[in-house]
Amino acid sequence: MKETVVSGIRSTGRLHLGNYYGALSNFVKMQHEYNCFFFIADLHSLTTHPTPEHLNRTVREVVVEYLAAGIDPEQSTIYVQSDVPEVAELYLYMNMNAYLGELERATAFKDKVRANPDNVNAGLLTYPVLMACDILIHHGTKVPVGKDQEQHLEMTRTFGNRFNRLYNVDYFKEAFAFSYSDKLVKIPGLDGNGKMGKSNGEASCIYLSDAPEVIRKKVMRAVSDAGPTEMNQTKPEPIQNLFDLMKVVSTQDTLQHFEDLYNKCAIRYGDFKKQLAEDMVLATEPVRSRIQAISNDDAYLKKVIHMGAEKARESACRTIKEVREIIGIKKLY
Ligand code: TRP
């Protein structure tokens, strides 16, 4: 029996190179080895009150980009969270047995309260319960998430175990964080520090759907410095970041060429960035054209999303039926 992987992504819209060379490349590789559920967490997104148009558009964008990146809808189950109402039902049951104290203590919750003191809604508080249900509904045991979600996984285990204890069953399994490959390439942002990510600002990100012109503009504006002053000096972070990006999209020869120029203090950042931009445009061309093609094929997209929903519901309905049985919710008519 293949182990079950569950992964959710909030529908905040277009994916960037960090997603593509990071989590997504792992998803594509692991879908043959595991029973994978990849879903768009549109219900989770409601905590921030997106406009209906924005929500709808971004959910579609993420599905398109997952498919374009190589998620195989026949092999994996790719679905939209709200297409599986059983998740919402399980969420109701699990809320009865999640305690205010532990929910208030969650780091992500406290961070969001601090960032948005005017929107501390109950959905935000019980976000970890919904996330637990996403995983428990398919009996997932492996969850490819980063460090920031570790605590939510611990809560998932707590809720599952508590349910088992309350009803004296051995029903829900424990799920753990999982990285398919530790050898992920580093994708820094263009803003001079850290990882590529929306939290570091739009300018730090190259999106998979960015047109070549947009890519060129963003790369030319990337943070750099006044240039090296000593032979073979270590590169400051913004420069190292650009070299790290070049390592991913350019040939070894090109990379070496600019390394040598840097080491000889003869590098011209204009040329360097121009080359980086062109290689980035080239490297992303196949996925960009697949995004275009899939996005324009509404019939295909509908078919795939419908198929995902059916597969996910099949698994979810089984769980809900069993959970109702365990809880004692039985029809009296
Ligand atoms: N909380 C996750 C995030 O912010 C998204 C998510 C929701 C998720 N439900 C999930 C991830 C279930 C894995 C499994 O990234």
Side-chain angles (χ1 to χ4, degrees):
M1 260 281 274
K2 285 182 179 176
E3 273 196 84
T4 298
V5 170
V6 179
S7 169
I9 179 168
R10 275 167 296 165
S11 48
T12 45
R14 307 187 297 157
L15 303 176
H16 51 70
L17 290 188
N19 303 121
Y20 184 62
Y21 289 105
L24 259 175
S25 80
N26 268 345
F27 291 176
V28 171
K29 284 184 250 157
M30 74 192 178
Q31 59 184 337
H32 307 283
E33 247 169 90
Y34 297 98
N35 180 27
C36 292
F37 290 90
F38 301 118
F39 71 94
I40 323 300
D42 59 341
L43 299 177
H44 282 284
S45 302
L46 293 175
T47 56
T48 59
H49 308 156
T51 64
E53 296 73 26
H54 184 260
L55 182 67
N56 201 248
R57 177 173 55 76
T58 52
V59 169
R60 190 181 193 274
E61 276 169 6
V62 178
V63 177
V64 167
E65 293 179 10
Y66 264 38
L67 294 170
I71 303 277
D72 177 355
E74 302 282 344
Q75 187 77 232
S76 307
T77 302
I78 168 168
Y79 68 100
V80 180
Q81 188 185 31
S82 59
D83 282 337
V84 184
E86 290 75 19
V87 172
E89 182 174 339
L90 185 61
Y91 171 58
L92 189 154
Y93 300 146
M94 297 308 272
N95 267 326
M96 305 304 168
N97 156 25
Y99 293 96
L100 184 59
E102 63 191 340
L103 295 171
E104 281 176 333
R105 257 180 273 124
T107 314
F109 175 70
K110 287 194 283 189
D111 288 348
K112 282 175 192 159
V113 170
R114 219 170 295 125
N116 300 297
D118 296 333
N119 185 27
V120 185
N121 60 66
L124 205 58
L125 182 71
T126 57
Y127 182 110
V129 184
L130 182 55
M131 175 162 166
C133 293
D134 292 326
I135 299 164
L136 297 172
I137 198 105
H138 302 303
H139 302 283
T141 52
K142 288 183 146 46
V143 185
V145 286
K147 276 262 170 295
D148 63 317
Q149 296 294 314
E150 196 71 64
Q151 192 180 31
H152 286 160
L153 281 189
E154 193 184 326
M155 294 170 86
T156 301
R157 294 191 290 273
T158 300
F159 300 147
N161 288 331
R162 192 178 287 154
F163 178 94
N164 289 348
R165 235 177 298 118
L166 181 62
Y167 294 104
N168 199 18
V169 290
D170 185 15
Y171 187 65
F172 287 126
K173 296 177 186 157
E174 289 192 314
F176 292 92
F178 157 73
S179 180
Y180 181 74
S181 160
D182 296 325
K183 295 191 291 283
L184 283 187
V185 288
K186 182 182 167 216
I187 305 293
L190 296 173
D191 59 337
N193 51 60
K195 293 203 303 188
M196 185 175 287
K198 274 178 213 173
S199 48
N200 292 329
E202 288 280 314
S204 93
C205 294
I206 300 283
Y207 293 103
L208 293 181
S209 56
D210 276 346
E213 271 323 297
V214 176
I215 296 180
R216 292 187 185 105
K217 235 184 239 143
K218 285 184 183 172
V219 173
M220 295 317 284
R221 283 184 196 152
V223 173
S224 60
D225 62 11
T229 50
E230 284 168 46
M231 304 284 270
N232 303 313
Q233 73 172 65
T234 34
K235 304 181 185 82
E237 193 177 359
I239 305 305
Q240 184 60 51
N241 287 351
L242 297 181
F243 272 95
D244 285 344
L245 286 167
M246 185 171 257
K247 210 174 288 166
V248 176
V249 296
S250 302
T251 64
Q252 181 58 36
D253 284 352
T254 303
L255 179 68
Q256 195 57 53
H257 172 71
F258 286 101
E259 290 274 6
D260 292 344
L261 287 177
Y262 188 89
N263 287 335
K264 286 188 293 192
C265 300
I267 192 165
R268 286 163 42 176
Y269 287 144
D271 298 342
F272 173 53
K273 286 178 169 178
K274 215 176 247 166
Q275 181 74 46
L276 177 60
E278 287 319 310
D279 289 344
M280 218 176 245
V281 168
L282 215 60
T284 50
E285 175 51 37
V287 70
R288 193 168 35 253
S289 62
R290 281 196 300 273
I291 289 173
Q292 277 292 331
I294 296 170
S295 188
N296 290 331
D297 192 346
D298 209 47
Y300 170 74
L301 204 52
K302 279 197 173 120
K303 197 184 88 190
V304 165
I305 295 174
H306 188 210
M307 181 173 80
E310 301 243 287
K311 285 206 277 178
R313 284 199 74 186
E314 198 184 302
S315 155
C317 283
R318 217 177 307 129
T319 304
I320 280 297
K321 196 161 162 271
E322 290 164 353
V323 165
R324 286 179 171 199
E325 193 78 33
I326 292 169
I327 293 181
I329 294 183
K330 294 178 190 161
K331 294 265 188 291
L332 289 172
Y333 58 87

